Amino acid sequence: MSDYLVRAASRPLLSGLMRALRLPTPVTLNRAEPPFVPEALENQTFYIGQTDNARLGRKIGNVLSSGGAHARTLEDVDTEGSTAHHGLVFDATGMQGADDLSALYLFVNRVARQIAACGRVVILADAPERLDSTEASAAAQAVEGFVRSFAKEVGKFGTTVNGIYVEPGAESRISEPLRFLLSDHSAFIDGQVLTISGAGRAPRSVPTRGTLVDKVAVVTGAARGIGAATARRLASEGAKVVAIDVPDNRDPLENLSQEIGGAALALDITSGQAAAEIGDFCNAQHGGIDVFVHNAAITRDRSLANMSTDEWQSVLAVNLQAVLSIDAELDRRKLLRDHARIVCMSSVAGIAGNRGQTNYAATKAGLMGFVRARSDALRSRGVCYNAVAPGFIETAMTAAMPLPLREAGRRMSSLGQGGYPEDVASVVAFLSTPGAGGLSGNVVRVCGQGLIGA
Ligand code: NAD
């Protein structure tokens, strides 16, 4: 499953013709191969800038240099002129009021034109709701509007723009999220603002290579699509993966498990014994769980007035109630290890709503409420709960959509194309790593800044 316009636009002759015909010409996105490596930014040049009272100090420069990148400033532009570069990082923390936003405007305005295709822009600011002054809070919130709008301007070049809100005490936790957003592992995340919290116990050490070696990861709905890509991606980071899917999918599930050296557990997550079976298996085989990805879901689309009780209840049961029961059982049995990571597969439908999907969208919004509510509960043990909300992803599900709807889903986004299951898997894998310990209660959209729900 791939995008015919992305394929055509990658051929010089055809792309010229497409432009002449005013057809969309989405660029082929730069995607990094797994696994995560520290030198993910090797030989790339980024311009870095900051406001007068920025408080992240040398941390941004350190992330770039440890990733193998070169950092330049506006002073370099003054002496050598602006040259093509891979992107921008701006430290907008410490802003006191709206006047401080001028520094952000001047910096980006000066070097925006020379960002290479598939560049990366990240802007860091204080978390608005954690600031005492109204002026400072308004200025920090303004960054979100800036990020989302600039992303819409440069998306046609495959360039992404994202933000990071840094809560007090979270300064030491910015390195891995910043490196991830600057790298080509985050190719389909665009126009998003993550919040890094300083709360909770930090892991003693954060590996930058083999990030999930010796960790036990469970993925539901792993027989195909995004779940299978996630299981493969977690295994590529070194995790031992327990792949779960319905008994009808036993064959593909076992093939996948063999391929990645994991284990297959064929069960229906809505069955009364599912939570206990998963708990028993993980306890007996591994003694605990480090990563749990709640990915399995179903759709039963119909307008609400025509929706049967079964269509409503079956979607609620798989997509939401099973997640709550499994999580409660694992918690009750204390099977989640310290610093465990729980990732729920939500959807932009849960943010924007979709006609004919009241059941599905309700469950996907419910998962966002679930991770926010749970993120405080086990923070003292360093356990993090996050949701990932994919937009239009090229899977069997979206291939079956009527052509006009499919085209609208693909093109109505800043990047002008659909994502791949591997794009979603990459985000899930990142959220599962020790370096993502500052992220909890976040909903990360992987949608190329789709207009629907973005
Ligand atoms: P898919 O239908 O291809 O795969 C879902 C898997 O879950 C299947 O293998 C299925 O057998 C399994 N499953 C369903 N019910 C189960 C049950 N009761 N017990 C165990 N396993 C069960 O779906 P996908 O497109 O890969 O989507 C994966 C996740 O991403 C879902 O949560 C979906 O809602 C979400 N999502 C997908 C898209 C997209 O564009 N594909 C967009 C937004 C969100």
Side-chain angles (χ1 to χ4, degrees), residues 131-351:
L131 292 165
D132 294 333
S133 125
T134 308
E135 288 81 2
S137 184
Q141 191 71 55
V143 167
E144 191 164 335
F146 185 99
V147 162
R148 291 186 192 277
S149 300
F150 190 45
K152 290 186 175 176
E153 293 178 15
V154 294
K156 59 180 178 241
F157 307 116
T159 292
T160 62
V161 183
N162 293 291
I164 297 177
Y165 280 138
V166 185
E167 289 192 349
E171 296 77 6
S172 62
R173 295 177 170 185
I174 66 164
S175 302
E176 306 303 327
L178 177 57
R179 186 182 297 128
F180 175 69
L181 288 178
L182 290 176
S183 76
D184 291 336
H185 290 290
S186 65
F188 205 61
I189 303 185
D190 194 15
Q192 303 308 310
V193 183
L194 310 181
T195 298
I196 305 190
S197 157
R201 184 139 56 99
R204 238 176 280 135
S205 66
V206 172
T208 49
R209 202 182 293 279
T211 53
L212 295 176
V213 168
D214 294 333
K215 304 281 185 200
V216 177
V218 182
V219 183
T220 66
R224 65 178 192 215
I226 292 171
T230 299
R232 287 193 180 94
R233 187 69 182 79
L234 293 168
S236 74
E237 294 295 329
K240 292 172 225 146
V241 178
V242 179
I244 294 177
D245 212 297
V246 288
D248 280 355
N249 279 342
R250 191 184 293 275
D251 285 352
L253 192 68
E254 285 180 350
N255 290 343
L256 173 92
S257 304
Q258 232 164 29
E259 175 197 322
I260 62 175
L265 201 52
L267 56 81
D268 181 335
I269 56 167
T270 63
S271 83
Q273 309 79 39
E277 266 183 66
I278 297 169
D280 286 345
F281 183 86
C282 292
N283 195 22
Q285 300 295 316
H286 304 291
I289 295 169
D290 300 288
V291 176
F292 204 110
V293 184
H294 294 283
N295 166 77
I298 58 169
T299 52
R300 296 288 181 269
D301 297 355
R302 203 174 299 284
S303 63
L304 185 73
N306 296 322
M307 189 178 288
S308 69
T309 309
D310 182 58
E311 284 164 338
W312 171 263
Q313 277 176 350
S314 56
V315 171
L316 267 282
V318 178
N319 300 9
L320 187 57
Q321 278 153 352
V323 174
L324 303 181
S325 313
I326 292 170
D327 189 68
E329 181 69 9
L330 299 182
D331 195 18
R332 195 183 65 74
R333 295 182 177 212
K334 304 208 178 339
L335 281 174
L336 294 175
R337 292 205 180 105
D338 286 355
H339 305 291
R341 302 281 184 262
I342 287 77
V343 184
C344 292
M345 201 61 73
S346 180
S347 166
V348 292
I351 298 166

Side-chain angles (χ1 to χ4, degrees), residues 13-47:
L13 270 180
L14 273 180
S15 77
L17 181 66
M18 289 162 72
R19 274 196 198 92
L21 293 172
R22 295 182 178 277
L23 286 172
T25 49
V27 302
T28 303
L29 302 181
N30 285 349
R31 291 178 161 94
E33 286 295 319
F36 299 122
V37 289
E39 55 278 5
L41 311 176
E42 204 150 66
N43 292 328
Q44 296 175 351
T45 299
F46 290 89
Y47 278 95

Side-chain angles (χ1 to χ4, degrees), residues 354-355 392 398 400-412 452:
N354 245 352
R355 198 168 59 183
F392 185 95
T398 48
M401 285 165 75
L403 184 67
L405 272 183
R406 190 161 73 234
E407 272 305 285
R410 278 176 174 150
R411 306 301 160 214
M412 286 171 64
I452 302 162

Side-chain angles (χ1 to χ4, degrees), residues 405-426:
L405 272 183
R406 190 161 73 234
E407 272 305 285
R410 278 176 174 150
R411 306 301 160 214
M412 286 171 64
S413 67
S414 295
L415 298 179
Q417 57 194 287
Y420 291 109
E422 291 73 19
D423 294 326
V424 182
S426 177

